Amino acid sequence: METFSIAYGELILGGQPLTRLAARVGRTPFYAYERAAIDNRITELRAAFPTTIKLHYAMKANPMPALVAHMRDRVDGIDVASAGEMKVALDAGVAPTAISFAGPGKREAELHQAAAAGILINVESELELDRLASIATQTGWPVRVALRVNPDFELKASGMKMSGGPKPFGIDAERIPSVLGRIRQTLLQFEGFHIFSGSQNLKCEAIIEAQQKSFALAVDLAAHAPTPVRSLNLGGGLGIPYFPGNMPLDLAPIGANLAQIAEQARQALPEAELCLELGRFLVGEAGVYVCRVIDRKISRGETFLVTDGGMHHHLSASGNFGQVVRKNYPLAIGNRMDAPADDIVSVVGPLCTPLDLLGERMPLAHAEVGDLVVVFQSGAYGASASPQQFLDHPRVTEVLV
Ligand SMILES: *Cc1c(COP(=O)(O)O)cnc(C)c1O
């Protein structure tokens, strides 16, 4: 919430009071993402991290084309997770050499498209490697691959664990030496490793430990590689505070650790470009979801604000996108920012399901029909991660301000 300023009792987004922005957009609900907030975040990261660590944007966090285009000149690469996302990145003018493609279950056609585009493909299985080898043989194109490694450790205290133990992502670390041997017998162009161990982490010690282990693993595996490692993607996992008690990450110790890793890499992997891939950390706090109060009703003593938005646009805030125990995202009445939050209300959407909940029994400023409910921390995993067709309400609008 501290990302944005307040004036005239209203939240200010992109320099405009919220009601004026809503009038400009012309309808609710909408998502608004603020360029300045994204830029500030990137500046913070660049200041804390050594310049040798490249920053990539994992665009599945927010694939809005205008936002991806905004990112093009501000980050060093875009990570895509489908051929559809690859198209958005290429359309935005991102150079193929700055695009990488990870994700299990890439279809044959997607692999062919990615090979034709000349982007770096993070290989998730041995069968995928065989398919790419055939494409390289049939087409003669230089097909660039990195191996996504499923390490033998996990990112501790992560919102979503994506490594360690049996996982659908990547190739088990112990299989990598033999897979590297197989690459030697193909025309594939080996570039390096991709190790992504988890998401939404607010413990810098856990992130540091995972980055150290990932680097050490990459150095071990590099000994088996057919050519020097040119690209090492150390993953990301940097989280943002969503709930009361969450503390924002301290970037300084993470940066200090990365500086050490970069120093070791000069010796151990002299040709490697090191990068981190971040999704929500770059855009999550820069976005809000805005919906309008349609009804205010009391049921057996409890107040409900019924809005025109809900879980069909914002599955994460409803608590149904991977939360074990539902907690409220930070909410406010965006056109009554000066009023005390002394009304205990539940904010619900228009869907006929009790899952359609944006805020449960939380203190907000007194709101009436027509007021604007703002959900903060909504720049990542919002519109594109929500079941917009469920109940066939209008799709949500997105603006970049
Ligand atoms: C989802 C994902 C990311 C981004 O995760 P965030 O938590 O949004 O930073 C990065 N890399 C890979 C491989 C992913 O699957």
Side-chain angles (χ1 to χ4, degrees):
M1 284 174 77
E2 303 81 47
T3 308
F4 306 105
S5 57
I6 292 163
Y8 330 107
E10 294 203 27
L11 193 69
I12 304 296
L13 290 166
Q16 264 192 336
L18 183 64
T19 52
R20 181 82 182 259
L21 176 65
R24 188 276 264 186
V25 174
R27 54 185 262 204
T28 51
F30 62 89
Y31 280 93
Y33 316 118
E34 198 184 68
R35 292 183 178 90
I38 295 172
D39 294 354
N40 290 342
R41 178 43 62 87
I42 294 172
T43 304
E44 246 179 282
L45 280 165
R46 299 265 191 216
F49 292 178
T51 50
T52 42
I53 302 286
K54 304 296 173 197
L55 291 179
H56 288 198
Y57 174 50
M59 66 171 273
K60 84 169 191 280
N62 188 330
M64 183 204 196
L67 187 148
V68 175
H70 181 77
M71 287 300 196
R72 183 193 63 195
D73 304 322
R74 290 168 175 80
V75 296
D76 307 301
I78 302 283
D79 293 331
V80 304
S82 68
E85 287 192 355
M86 179 183 83
K87 179 183 187 305
V88 172
L90 290 169
D91 287 348
V94 181
T97 47
I99 301 177
S100 58
F101 181 9
K106 299 183 195 74
R107 284 166 292 127
E108 189 88 40
E110 286 182 297
L111 294 172
H112 213 262
Q113 284 174 270
I119 68 173
L120 179 64
I121 302 164
N122 292 324
V123 179
E124 304 262 355
S125 79
E126 297 179 48
L127 180 55
E128 190 169 291
L129 188 80
D130 292 343
R131 288 180 172 141
L132 286 165
S134 308
I135 292 172
T137 308
Q138 283 157 19
T139 61
W141 300 328
V143 179
R144 302 166 52 221
V145 299
L147 296 182
R148 178 163 180 185
V149 184
N150 174 25
D152 45 8
F153 55 85
E154 60 182 32
L155 176 53
K156 289 177 192 146
S158 245
M160 275 190 204
K161 294 196 168 104
M162 291 177 70
S163 74
K167 285 284 181 299
F169 311 108
I171 300 170
D172 294 347
E174 54 276 21
R175 294 282 312 152
I176 297 285
S178 86
V179 173
L180 287 165
R182 265 161 72 184
I183 292 183
R184 285 176 200 276
Q185 281 132 46
T186 69
L187 296 176
L188 295 170
Q189 196 171 304
F190 171 77
E191 304 236 334
F193 301 109
H194 172 218
I195 307 175
F196 179 81
S197 37
S199 196
Q200 181 48 24
N201 201 299
L202 288 171
K203 292 219 162 37
C204 64
E205 316 81 61
I207 291 170
I208 287 170
E209 185 188 319
Q211 288 175 344
Q212 287 172 350
K213 286 183 174 172
S214 298
F215 177 71
L217 178 59
V219 172
D220 284 350
L221 295 176
H224 305 272
T227 50
V229 169
R230 296 171 52 192
S231 151
L232 174 57
N233 183 331
L234 288 169
L238 277 61
I240 61 172
Y242 286 102
F243 309 119
N246 282 175
M247 293 296 289
L249 268 176
D250 183 0
L251 293 179
I254 299 174
N257 179 60
L258 286 171
Q260 275 183 18
I261 288 177
E263 187 53 37
Q264 292 165 29
R266 290 200 332 177
Q267 302 291 323
L269 302 172
E271 295 186 34
E273 183 171 281
L274 270 51
C275 76
L276 295 185
E277 51 178 0
L278 305 174
R280 84 181 75 224
F281 196 75
L282 294 181
V283 296
E285 294 180 85
V288 296
Y289 175 65
V290 181
C291 53
R292 200 178 287 279
V293 178
I294 301 287
D295 198 354
R296 178 188 168 95
K297 59 185 280 191
I298 314 258
S299 169
R300 308 218 160 99
E302 286 195 24
T303 304
F304 291 85
L305 298 178
V306 187
T307 71
D308 58 3
M311 72 174 284
H312 55 311
H313 295 159
H314 204 331
L315 192 67
S316 311
S318 77
N320 296 298
F321 192 62
Q323 279 187 39
V324 182
V325 179
R326 191 192 174 284
K327 292 181 200 147
N328 293 324
Y329 269 44
L331 263 60
I333 307 302
N335 56 315
R336 296 181 190 264
M337 297 300 288
D338 289 345
D342 56 7
D343 216 7
I344 303 294
V345 298
S346 290
V347 180
V348 301
L351 308 191
C352 295
T353 160
L355 298 178
D356 190 10
L357 190 60
L358 291 175
E360 186 172 25
R361 293 189 195 101
M362 65 188 298
L364 288 176
H366 180 91
E368 291 293 340
V369 169
D371 283 342
L372 296 170
V373 174
V374 173
V375 184
F376 293 95
Q377 310 300 74
S378 297
Y381 305 108
S384 72
S386 300
Q388 295 212 41
Q389 278 154 351
F390 190 33
L391 272 82
D392 205 12
H393 285 283
R395 288 178 67 85
V396 71
T397 307
E398 296 172 273
V399 292
L400 182 67
V401 297

